[in-house]
């Protein structure tokens, strides 16, 4: 018998939505483009049983995967739990067996095994398609394979035994021209290890090689960027140690004294070829994109100045600074000819944004023009009476499109009682020019207490259709558009 | 692509909830009795496609069946569409093919067939278990058989070819001692016919006999009552004719000039034995119970004075009187020795109530003590800011238990932002005394925009547990408790 109380973000819009379901032929305002055939597949966290520790990170909530399936202008919705081994163990026990985020020492004795931390992944961070297969991902474990027809969980996946290491990133990269997958794991040889392993697969799913090296310190390595020639690995001030984990807290602490780094590995390089560039305290959780121009490697990312997540404490016990996670679109340029470990860093445009940056993925690693990100447009009204705790004044009510050729921002506003989750870009056709397509993302309508999928013409930054859901959707971390040719949807 | 606009009762709490889904191990406040093992299975209407006629009756919405499954104190929820032939035809066409409530003349030509009106039933009125099978019912068609494990639709059911007639009531009666089923159909020989057929089945599902006779006029015969010896058939002022249906409106018109009737048929009688007692304009849509005492037949029911449903117009075009459906618990006594066609009619207790009366079904047809019904307790506050249209001042915020031995009312109040749908009684055990059990029903929480299942100790009229749903539930017509021994639930 489940009792939540207020431990999971309270009631109102953040109240638990712990169900599985389908909506057929969803209600639509506007007109869904009939050329959009595929699915927007998103994943996030939803507690099946309440967290064992009331102050735990939301990153520790059970994975919940959902899909908006587009066919000839008709949209169907399905949402399901990601049935990880952990989910099944909890269900069998009828209670929460797992303790703090990525701290197996805090687990119930019946499942406690710090030597196999990846068995407790909730797989709640990103969705990914490769080699005709659909996955949910979380960086503390292996991918969970999902049936794209039903969203039923197939099981853990190690690429037919080819994947080495305990973990697999939530942000593998696909080279849009070669189809190659560049993926990595960190804490790759066990809990709080600083081992990184990069692994390279051809487009047919065959592993070509791997490179192992060590991070400057045990850090959260959430996202990378690739160019045609290089891989960029941002390292920022979260750190962990087995000793601290044994003491029974969450995995990460923010250490303001730690420098940030960006590692650069040539795509055909070995461990000895990794070069670490060093910067001041900052947080690069996600990237937009990067490119190699001559001897320079250039990356854009939404970058903050300090700890972006209040549920991961400062290592010195100090108070949380809410401005630390405020991101700006920054460009960092690394000169491979330089003998210095420094780099140049500039703000491209002065509007602050979320840390969730997206591009037209067909331009991954190449020269590109458009960066997409959610942001809080303060000039637009938000109905604060409906906002709930924490939303006042900084609601992500808009998507922005930053034009890197002009440094100008074009915006889309979702509505005066709406907060946007991360959107993604879907091209109008495989051969459409960059940015000629749709931004797709979920808006929370606080007034009607329901979610809405917004579909925006990305060239005009104007809404063309809105799918009206009959309920609130679980909060999403990442979501992606997969075209019919990528996955065999129903 | 579905577009609703505001045609189905607007947005807010009445907005469409057109999805299928399951909640496992539902969130609970309080403690669900571990002795309650079975399921509360309810059905109501939900438009899959918007109605063809914006002013249509909500009775014409697609059937939606849902179940709260109780096992050892754990509650699981499942909700599914009733996949009637009509639902499947609409889905195949991708649009609404069916016109007004019970008027096949208004259907799309592709499905129009006034000779088979029962093919267009939406089966949205009641749930029923007999002979180990679960059904949804609506009085304009045959039962739809439902799998109690999954709520998947098995299909139309005619009792293995035994059922004769085009229609089957939403309120068949089971004799609690013999297990006999007494069921009937009206408009039994076609659209707007005044033929009634009663059919009697033994507890093993074998048909014993049938009786055919005619109603005094073509009327809505929604519910009956039985005693150990008699069947009571209330007839009230709704009427229909094929001529009016051809003109293209809804099925029923209210005719204030028509008398009400109660027909009394001996359970072992034939058509010639039916006796019609006559009264003034009134509306007996549902009954509580009845009994035979010597030569008298006595029935209690929630009875109104005139047209209870605003979507069925007056035949004279006059305005709708909202007081017409205001019901009181009345007792009607029929003297079989009398030569008169009159009867006595008294108000048992002066609190007005909904028209949805329930009892401890183990006392059907017998002397009984308790009548249960929802009512609007005006002394209890309702948060009008959250109420939405039509709710102000007359919210069914309470369940009442009328003690017929004392004529006193005991009440349960659901909350200051809550409206209750019909509850039902579940005994603590098969041998528990009358009223020793639970009232179970769905509350709409307007403040949190979600539904809640309330479980009330019926002896104390005090809540013992509340199941918190993450969403609003479709509006219910009727719901029933089925114990594990009645149906093979999962």
């Amino acid at each position: 018998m489940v009792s939540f109380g207020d431990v999971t973000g309270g009631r109102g819009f953040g109240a638990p939505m712990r169900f599985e379901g389908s909506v057929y032929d969803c209600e639509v305002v506007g007109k869904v483009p009939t050329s959009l055939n595929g699915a927007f597949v998103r994943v996030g966290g939803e507690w099946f049983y309440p967290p064992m520790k009331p102050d735990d990170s939301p990153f520790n909530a059970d994975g919940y995967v959902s899909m908006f399936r587009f066919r000839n202008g008709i949209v169907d919705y399905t949402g399901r739990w990601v049935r990880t081994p952990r989910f099944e163990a909890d269900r069998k026990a009828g209670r929460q067996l797992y303790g703090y985020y990525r701290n197996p020492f805090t687990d119930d004795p019946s499942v406690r095994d710090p030597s196999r931390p990846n068995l407790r992944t909730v797989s709640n961070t990103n969705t990914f398609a490769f080699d005709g297969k659909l996955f949910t991902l979380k960086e503390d474990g292996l991918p969970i394979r999902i049936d794209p027809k039903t969203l039923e969980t197939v099981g853990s996946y190690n690429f037919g035994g080819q994947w080495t290491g305990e973990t697999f990133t939530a942000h593998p990269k696909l080279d849009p021209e070669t189809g190659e997958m560049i993926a990595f794991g960190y804490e790759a040889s066990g809990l709080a290890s600083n081992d990184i392993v990069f692994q390279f697969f051809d487009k047919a799913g065959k592993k070509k090689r791997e490179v192992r090296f060590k991070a400057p310190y045990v850090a959260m390595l959430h996202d990378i960027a690739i160019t045609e020639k290089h891989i960029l690995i941002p390292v920022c001030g979260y750190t962990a140690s087995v000793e601290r984990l044994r003491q029974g807290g969450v995995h990460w602490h923010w250490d303001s004294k730690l420098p940030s780094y960006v590692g650069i590995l040539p795509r055909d390089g070995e461990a000895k070829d990794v070069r670490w560039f060093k910067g001041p305290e900052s947080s690069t959780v996600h990237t937009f994109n990067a490119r190699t121009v001559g001897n320079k490697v250039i990356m854009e990312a939404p970058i903050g100045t300090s700890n972006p997540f209040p549920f991961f404490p400062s290592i010195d016990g100090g108070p949380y600074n809410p401005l630390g996670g405020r991101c700006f679109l920054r460009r960092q340029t690394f000169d491979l000819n330089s003998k210095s470990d420094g780099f140049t860093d500039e703000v491209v445009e002065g509007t602050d944004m979320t840390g969730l940056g997206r591009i037209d993925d067909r331009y991954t690693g190449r020269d590109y023009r458009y960066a997409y990100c959610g942001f809080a447009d303060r000039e637009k009204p938000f109905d604060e009476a409906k906002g709930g705790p924490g939303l006042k004044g900084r609601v992500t009510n808009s998507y922005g499109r930053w034009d890197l050729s002009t440094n100008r921002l074009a915006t889309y506003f979702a509505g005066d009682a709406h907060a946007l989750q991360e959107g993604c870009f879907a091209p109008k056709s495989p051969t459409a020019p960059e940015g000629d397509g749709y931004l797709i993302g979920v808006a929370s309508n606080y007034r009607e207490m329901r979610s809405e999928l917004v579909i925006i013409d990305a060239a005009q930054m104007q809404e063309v259709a809105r799918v009206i859901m009959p309920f609130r959707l679980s909060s999403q971390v990442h979501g992606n558009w997969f075209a019919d040719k990528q996955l065999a949807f129903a």
Side-chain angles (χ1 to χ4, degrees), chain A:
Chain A
M1 202 160 75
V2 176
S3 175
F4 271 87
D6 290 331
V7 297
T8 57
R11 312 305 309 192
F13 212 94
M17 284 305 288
R18 30 193 306 288
F19 74 104
E20 296 189 322
S22 295
V23 184
Y24 313 108
D25 203 344
C26 294
E27 186 178 353
V28 171
V29 176
K31 188 159 165 45
V32 175
T34 53
S35 62
L36 264 180
N37 287 290
F40 176 57
V41 188
R42 58 198 281 283
V43 72
E46 181 77 44
W47 296 101
F48 187 87
Y49 293 112
M52 189 185 287
K53 314 284 188 178
D55 63 341
D56 199 359
S57 158
F59 294 176
N60 203 24
D62 296 286
Y64 190 90
V65 59
S66 57
M67 168 165 76
F68 290 88
R69 169 75 172 115
F70 289 62
R71 262 177 301 197
N72 304 317
I74 303 287
V75 181
D76 293 331
Y77 169 86
T78 297
R80 286 190 179 272
W81 295 100
V82 182
R83 301 203 175 226
T84 59
R86 165 170 164 170
F87 180 90
E88 298 292 1
D90 276 353
R91 282 287 281 141
K92 196 173 165 191
R95 64 192 176 91
Q96 180 62 265
L97 298 173
Y98 295 84
Y100 270 123
Y101 173 72
R102 293 178 75 176
N103 188 344
F105 295 105
T106 59
D107 291 347
D108 185 88
S110 65
V111 295
R112 188 182 300 154
D113 184 2
S115 74
R116 301 294 307 281
N118 62 0
L119 292 181
R120 64 196 294 292
T121 187
V122 284
S123 206
N124 65 7
T125 312
N126 204 354
T127 59
F128 182 57
F130 180 63
D131 190 24
K133 300 176 185 72
L134 174 65
F135 306 100
T136 55
L137 304 176
K138 188 176 185 72
E139 64 204 46
D140 67 352
L142 294 176
I144 302 287
R145 190 173 166 194
I146 303 289
D147 181 337
K149 289 183 170 39
T150 62
L151 296 191
E152 281 167 3
T153 298
V154 180
S156 284
Y157 192 73
N158 65 1
F159 297 87
Q162 298 180 98
W163 187 261
T164 61
E166 302 289 311
T167 59
F168 185 95
T169 177
H171 289 285
K173 299 294 176 189
L174 295 177
D175 186 297
E177 284 175 34
T178 66
E180 187 181 15
M181 176 177 80
I182 301 174
F184 70 103
Y186 74 95
E187 301 197 16
S189 55
L191 199 63
S193 73
N194 69 341
D195 292 299
I196 302 172
V197 57
F198 269 83
Q199 307 188 35
F200 302 79
F201 288 69
D202 70 19
K203 67 178 174 184
K206 188 165 186 306
K207 182 168 164 180
K208 308 306 285 181
R209 65 190 200 96
E210 68 176 53
V211 179
R212 284 180 177 265
F213 54 97
K214 286 186 184 292
Y217 51 88
V218 184
M220 179 195 285
L221 305 182
H222 183 68
D223 193 8
I224 59 173
I226 65 169
T227 76
E228 286 178 276
K229 295 186 178 171
H230 297 96
I231 300 164
L232 294 92
I233 309 145
V235 173
C236 57
Y238 284 124
T239 188
S241 79
V242 173
E243 292 67 32
R244 281 194 298 273
L245 291 172
R246 281 188 201 279
Q247 290 163 27
V250 293
H251 195 90
W252 297 117
H253 286 77
W254 184 267
D255 187 345
S256 292
K257 297 195 182 66
L258 286 170
S260 62
Y261 288 93
V262 176
I264 296 185
L265 168 69
R267 279 174 62 169
D268 58 1
E270 300 298 334
K272 66 177 171 49
D273 301 316
V274 180
R275 185 162 166 190
W276 293 103
F277 291 85
K278 192 171 174 179
E281 179 189 12
S282 75
S283 51
T284 305
V285 179
H286 296 99
T287 65
F288 284 110
N289 201 7
R291 58 206 177 277
T292 299
V293 180
N295 280 307
K296 290 187 174 159
V297 181
I298 306 162
M299 175 177 76
E300 284 89 15
I303 300 180
T305 55
S306 186
N307 184 1
F309 301 121
F311 35 79
F312 295 141
S314 295
I315 203 163
D316 61 7
Y320 181 72
N321 174 7
L323 293 180
R326 190 172 169 184
C327 292
F328 293 91
L329 199 172
R330 301 185 84 96
R331 178 176 296 130
Q332 296 182 336
T333 304
F334 307 90
D335 184 348
L336 299 179
N337 281 349
S338 157
K339 300 258 188 306
S340 153
D341 65 358
F343 56 91
T344 67
D345 182 334
E346 60 190 314
V347 171
V348 175
E349 195 275 339
T351 305
D352 64 312
M353 52 175 57
T354 74
L356 300 162
R358 301 301 297 261
I359 62 165
D360 180 339
D361 290 331
R362 298 173 301 162
Y363 289 78
T364 299
R366 275 68 184 174
D367 240 353
Y368 72 115
R369 181 169 172 188
Y370 296 119
Y372 305 97
C373 197
F375 75 104
D377 189 336
R378 288 180 182 74
E379 295 180 11
K380 296 290 195 296
F382 181 77
D383 182 349
E384 294 200 348
K386 290 282 184 182
L391 280 167
K392 293 183 183 183
R394 280 192 62 79
V395 178
T396 303
N397 56 12
S398 296
Y399 288 140
R401 185 196 62 194
W402 279 260
D403 183 337
L404 301 178
S405 73
T406 62
N407 289 355
R408 289 175 72 169
L409 170 61
T411 71
Y412 160 80
F413 172 60
D416 68 356
H418 295 71
L420 285 163
Q421 299 175 12
E422 184 198 57
C424 79
F425 179 86
K428 279 193 182 164
S429 76
T431 56
E434 185 190 352
D436 187 21
Y438 302 96
L439 275 180
I440 299 173
V442 168
S444 302
N445 181 335
Y446 284 80
R447 183 179 296 126
E448 298 287 348
M449 287 289 276
R450 70 180 184 216
S451 296
E452 297 163 0
L453 185 75
V454 295
I455 303 163
I456 298 144
D457 184 312
Q460 309 295 328
M461 289 302 278
Q462 289 190 344
E463 184 171 320
V464 296
R466 192 175 285 230
V467 180
I468 306 297
M469 300 304 292
F471 35 60
R472 296 171 286 118
L473 297 180
S474 295
S475 184
Q476 161 196 328
V477 183
H478 295 294
N480 296 284
W481 174 260
F482 303 115
D484 271 353
K485 68 179 169 58
Q486 290 175 270
L487 290 169
F489 296 111

